[in-house]
Amino acid sequence: MSKTILKLEHITKSYQDGSGKNLVLNDVSLDVNGGELVAIVGPSGSGKSTFLTIAGMLLSPDAGAITINGERVSDSKKKNWTKIRHEHIGFIFQSHQLLPYLKGLEQLTLFQDKKNRDKVNAPDMFTELGIEKCKNQYPSEMSGGEKQRIAIARAFINDPDIILADEPTASLDGARGRQVVEMIRLEVKKREKAAVMVTHDERVLDLADRVYRLENGALTQNNEK
Amino acid sequence: MLAWKELFYGKKKYLLIELLITLLIFMVLFLSGLAEGLGRAVVAGIDNLDAAYFLLSDSAEDIITVSNVSADTYGQLSSQTDGELAALDIQRMYLCRQNDDEKLNIVYFAIEPGSFLEPKTIEGVSLSESDAENPILLDDDFMLEGIKVGDTVLDSSTDIAFTVAGFVKDEMYGHVSIGFISIDTYTKLRTELNPMYQQEYHAIAIKDGNVDGVQIEDAQIVSKADIIQNVPSYTAEHMTITMIVWVLIIVSAAIIGIFYYILTLQKRRQFGVMKAIGVGMGRLSGIVIGQVCIIAVCGAVIAGLLTFGMAAALPETMPFYLKIGNALLVMAAFIFISIVSSLISIWNISKVDPITVIGGTDE
């Protein structure tokens, strides 16, 4: 059993909603191990995105702690968050969010730190993900699936500890969406990363190691698997 | 690196912006050349004199044309300073061509032939080399009136005839072209107008040397810069035009800033993504400043070349005068203000919250 990389403990978050308070996350805890892909499903507005932004050091919880690889990052000051995200977290967004003015390979290399070049080889990732032909293409010349695969590669490029994916299949059709999640799974297993994927795409849940449902601020594990 | 990639990718858009910026800087440089040229038309004659100081009478209040120092003073001054001296008279009159009643404006600068005040001729010979009785060196603007070397021209009030010995370049005083004559000729002229005329000078020029110990009654040493400042109307004209040029520089640079701000607003999401994946503000600021620098520097260089190219092609009479140093100052100020105005964009980027990238809709 691989060790726990991402540890979320007793996370609580509420928003001011008119006169009342809307409790989005109520004492939520989750552990993710290296090489494990966890999926979180739930109706829209259930707080999936909030959960991801807190895990991704973009938003601070009202209460609770976040530990990445033994480091309690939730204690650090906000101005250090960018650096924490840079070093520990790889994001895959709903839509690819590539920069329109960079060619495929540059999308990776221009954001990769020198020290990570030996650990993660950008051209190799293109081969692994089957998008070699996109190395010298601008995003406008690629298909949706290809762009999302480059986005996956970009998430891994600085050798992060955790991978957070926000609806990675939302802009793709069924078959392509499934391929993309397969790719994420492949890289997570190979590189021993802890991955959390928020999705409402029920067809790809079988690719996750564990599936949780977020509803009414509480996280419960699906039993069917 | 990112800065350049983006400019390259958006070639069409950024080239248009570059064109606009280039035209703006060109306009500023060109106007400052014209402004300087106009200023030169007032004081070039004084500015070109190879003298550091002038001895003027106290009552003149630094205005060279109303000063008068007696011939004796020359001797006194030479015993008090080690600098080389030369007398100077300035007189505004009219000139006529032979057999032509049309009066041409002229300012006589009367000097000792061969002294350090005598300018180099671009055509013909100098005053001292000429063997004519009353030689004159004319500003090249008179060439456009059809006057040639060897022609005879008349002083309109005395009918004293001058022989054109040669032409000099860029010699103007108070928007009027200058004619250099000898002190002897000048004395003849004055004596003709006033038989009681006693020789005196407007000023005595001092080439260089130490003037600290000079003590002469009713006279004072004035630097060339002060004399120029006190040429009637020069300071007021110059200030107005300089003001216009600087306002233009600031406005054009602000235009770059505003353009860039609009582009930044369109790219807020891209900046949000970069922030989310851990790109720090330092690098994002670098991209913005890098791009603004590239746009501003290229614009300044192209506009500079264009301006000097244009200046070479301009007709002689156009009062255009631009020193490389001044042009560089304008360009540097422009680049600096552009960078300062790009700080608004950087401030805007710093306000982008990367959280907006998560869970947002695809657009």
CSV table of all heavy atoms in Angstrom, one decimal, chain A residues 13 19 22-23 36 44 52 70-71 77 89 99 107 148 152-153 157 173 176 182 195 212 222:
chain,number,residue,atom,x,y,z
A,13,LYS,N,-16.4,24.8,4.8
A,13,LYS,CA,-16.4,26.1,4.1
A,13,LYS,C,-17.9,26.5,3.9
A,13,LYS,O,-18.7,25.7,3.5
A,13,LYS,CB,-15.8,25.9,2.7
A,13,LYS,CG,-15.7,27.2,1.9
A,13,LYS,CD,-14.6,28.1,2.3
A,13,LYS,CE,-14.7,29.5,1.6
A,13,LYS,NZ,-13.7,30.4,2.2
A,19,SER,N,-29.1,36.6,3.6
A,19,SER,CA,-29.0,36.8,5.0
A,19,SER,C,-28.5,35.6,5.7
A,19,SER,O,-27.9,35.7,6.8
A,19,SER,CB,-30.4,37.2,5.6
A,19,SER,OG,-31.3,36.2,5.2
A,22,ASN,N,-24.6,29.6,3.7
A,22,ASN,CA,-24.8,28.4,2.9
A,22,ASN,C,-23.5,27.5,3.2
A,22,ASN,O,-22.4,27.8,2.8
A,22,ASN,CB,-24.9,28.7,1.4
A,22,ASN,CG,-25.0,27.5,0.6
A,22,ASN,OD1,-25.3,26.4,1.1
A,22,ASN,ND2,-24.9,27.8,-0.7
A,23,LEU,N,-23.8,26.4,3.9
A,23,LEU,CA,-22.7,25.5,4.3
A,23,LEU,C,-22.4,24.6,3.1
A,23,LEU,O,-23.1,23.7,2.8
A,23,LEU,CB,-23.1,24.7,5.5
A,23,LEU,CG,-21.9,24.0,6.3
A,23,LEU,CD1,-20.9,25.0,6.8
A,23,LEU,CD2,-22.5,23.3,7.4
A,36,GLU,N,-3.1,6.7,-7.0
A,36,GLU,CA,-4.6,6.5,-6.8
A,36,GLU,C,-5.4,7.6,-7.5
A,36,GLU,O,-5.1,8.8,-7.3
A,36,GLU,CB,-4.9,6.5,-5.3
A,36,GLU,CG,-6.3,5.9,-5.0
A,36,GLU,CD,-6.5,5.8,-3.5
A,36,GLU,OE1,-5.9,6.6,-2.8
A,36,GLU,OE2,-7.3,5.0,-3.1
A,44,SER,N,-24.8,19.6,-9.6
A,44,SER,CA,-24.1,20.9,-9.8
A,44,SER,C,-24.5,21.8,-8.6
A,44,SER,O,-25.6,21.7,-8.1
A,44,SER,CB,-24.5,21.6,-11.1
A,44,SER,OG,-25.9,21.7,-11.2
A,52,LEU,N,-12.4,21.4,-4.8
A,52,LEU,CA,-11.2,21.4,-5.6
A,52,LEU,C,-10.3,22.6,-5.4
A,52,LEU,O,-9.1,22.5,-5.4
A,52,LEU,CB,-11.6,21.2,-7.1
A,52,LEU,CG,-10.6,20.5,-8.0
A,52,LEU,CD1,-10.4,19.1,-7.6
A,52,LEU,CD2,-11.0,20.6,-9.4
A,70,GLY,N,3.1,15.2,3.7
A,70,GLY,CA,3.6,15.4,5.0
A,70,GLY,C,3.7,16.9,5.4
A,70,GLY,O,3.9,17.2,6.6
A,71,GLU,N,3.6,17.8,4.4
A,71,GLU,CA,3.8,19.2,4.7
A,71,GLU,C,2.4,19.9,4.9
A,71,GLU,O,1.5,19.7,4.0
A,71,GLU,CB,4.5,19.9,3.6
A,71,GLU,CG,4.9,21.4,3.8
A,71,GLU,CD,5.5,22.1,2.6
A,71,GLU,OE1,6.0,21.3,1.7
A,71,GLU,OE2,5.5,23.3,2.6
A,77,LYS,N,1.2,31.1,4.4
A,77,LYS,CA,0.6,32.4,4.1
A,77,LYS,C,0.2,32.4,2.6
A,77,LYS,O,0.7,31.7,1.8
A,77,LYS,CB,1.7,33.5,4.3
A,77,LYS,CG,2.0,33.8,5.7
A,77,LYS,CD,2.6,35.2,5.9
A,77,LYS,CE,3.1,35.5,7.2
A,77,LYS,NZ,4.4,34.9,7.5
A,89,ILE,N,1.3,20.9,-7.1
A,89,ILE,CA,0.0,20.7,-7.6
A,89,ILE,C,0.0,20.8,-9.2
A,89,ILE,O,0.5,21.8,-9.7
A,89,ILE,CB,-1.1,21.6,-7.0
A,89,ILE,CG1,-1.1,21.5,-5.5
A,89,ILE,CG2,-2.5,21.3,-7.6
A,89,ILE,CD1,-1.9,22.6,-4.8
A,99,LEU,N,-2.4,28.2,-23.8
A,99,LEU,CA,-2.2,29.5,-24.3
A,99,LEU,C,-2.2,29.5,-25.8
A,99,LEU,O,-1.5,28.7,-26.4
A,99,LEU,CB,-0.8,30.1,-23.8
A,99,LEU,CG,-0.8,30.3,-22.3
A,99,LEU,CD1,0.6,30.7,-21.8
A,99,LEU,CD2,-1.8,31.3,-21.8
A,107,GLN,N,4.0,24.6,-24.8
A,107,GLN,CA,3.1,24.7,-23.7
A,107,GLN,C,3.6,24.0,-22.4
A,107,GLN,O,3.3,24.3,-21.3
A,107,GLN,CB,1.8,24.0,-24.1
A,107,GLN,CG,1.1,24.5,-25.3
A,107,GLN,CD,0.2,25.7,-25.0
A,107,GLN,OE1,0.1,26.2,-23.9
A,107,GLN,NE2,-0.3,26.3,-26.1
A,148,GLN,N,-6.7,18.6,-24.8
A,148,GLN,CA,-6.9,18.2,-23.4
A,148,GLN,C,-5.8,17.3,-23.0
A,148,GLN,O,-5.3,17.3,-21.9
A,148,GLN,CB,-8.3,17.6,-23.2
A,148,GLN,CG,-8.7,17.4,-21.8
A,148,GLN,CD,-8.9,18.7,-21.0
A,148,GLN,OE1,-7.9,19.5,-21.0
A,148,GLN,NE2,-10.0,18.9,-20.4
A,152,ILE,N,-3.2,17.7,-19.9
A,152,ILE,CA,-2.8,16.6,-19.0
A,152,ILE,C,-1.3,16.6,-18.8
A,152,ILE,O,-0.7,16.6,-17.7
A,152,ILE,CB,-3.3,15.3,-19.5
A,152,ILE,CG1,-4.8,15.2,-19.4
A,152,ILE,CG2,-2.7,14.1,-18.6
A,152,ILE,CD1,-5.4,14.0,-20.1
A,153,ALA,N,-0.6,16.6,-20.0
A,153,ALA,CA,0.9,16.6,-19.9
A,153,ALA,C,1.4,17.8,-19.1
A,153,ALA,O,2.4,17.7,-18.3
A,153,ALA,CB,1.5,16.6,-21.3
A,157,ILE,N,4.2,18.3,-15.7
A,157,ILE,CA,5.5,18.7,-16.2
A,157,ILE,C,6.4,19.1,-15.1
A,157,ILE,O,7.6,18.9,-15.2
A,157,ILE,CB,5.3,19.8,-17.3
A,157,ILE,CG1,6.6,19.8,-18.1
A,157,ILE,CG2,5.1,21.1,-16.6
A,157,ILE,CD1,6.7,18.7,-19.0
A,173,ASP,N,-16.6,14.6,-26.4
A,173,ASP,CA,-17.6,13.6,-26.6
A,173,ASP,C,-17.3,12.3,-25.8
A,173,ASP,O,-16.2,12.2,-25.3
A,173,ASP,CB,-17.9,13.3,-28.0
A,173,ASP,CG,-16.7,12.7,-28.7
A,173,ASP,OD1,-16.0,11.9,-28.1
A,173,ASP,OD2,-16.5,13.0,-29.9
A,176,ARG,N,-13.9,10.3,-26.6
A,176,ARG,CA,-12.7,11.0,-26.4
A,176,ARG,C,-12.6,11.3,-24.9
A,176,ARG,O,-11.4,11.3,-24.4
A,176,ARG,CB,-12.8,12.4,-27.2
A,176,ARG,CG,-12.8,12.2,-28.6
A,176,ARG,CD,-11.8,13.2,-29.3
A,176,ARG,NE,-11.7,12.9,-30.7
A,176,ARG,CZ,-12.5,13.3,-31.6
A,176,ARG,NH1,-13.6,14.0,-31.3
A,176,ARG,NH2,-12.3,13.0,-32.9
A,182,GLU,N,-8.5,7.9,-19.3
A,182,GLU,CA,-7.6,6.8,-19.3
A,182,GLU,C,-6.1,7.3,-19.3
A,182,GLU,O,-5.3,6.7,-18.6
A,182,GLU,CB,-7.8,5.9,-20.6
A,182,GLU,CG,-8.9,4.9,-20.5
A,182,GLU,CD,-9.3,4.3,-21.8
A,182,GLU,OE1,-8.7,4.7,-22.8
A,182,GLU,OE2,-10.2,3.4,-21.8
A,195,ALA,N,-4.3,11.6,-7.3
A,195,ALA,CA,-5.2,12.4,-8.2
A,195,ALA,C,-6.6,12.5,-7.7
A,195,ALA,O,-7.2,11.5,-7.3
A,195,ALA,CB,-5.1,11.9,-9.6
A,212,TYR,N,-16.5,9.1,-4.8
A,212,TYR,CA,-17.2,9.7,-3.7
A,212,TYR,C,-18.3,10.5,-4.3
A,212,TYR,O,-18.2,11.0,-5.4
A,212,TYR,CB,-16.2,10.6,-2.9
A,212,TYR,CG,-15.3,9.8,-2.0
A,212,TYR,CD1,-14.0,9.4,-2.5
A,212,TYR,CD2,-15.6,9.5,-0.7
A,212,TYR,CE1,-13.1,8.7,-1.8
A,212,TYR,CE2,-14.6,8.9,0.1
A,212,TYR,CZ,-13.4,8.5,-0.4
A,212,TYR,OH,-12.5,7.8,0.3
A,222,ASN,N,-19.1,5.9,-2.6
A,222,ASN,CA,-20.0,5.0,-3.3
A,222,ASN,C,-19.7,3.5,-3.0
A,222,ASN,O,-18.5,3.1,-3.1
A,222,ASN,CB,-19.9,5.2,-4.8
A,222,ASN,CG,-20.9,6.3,-5.3
A,222,ASN,OD1,-21.4,7.0,-4.5
A,222,ASN,ND2,-21.1,6.4,-6.6
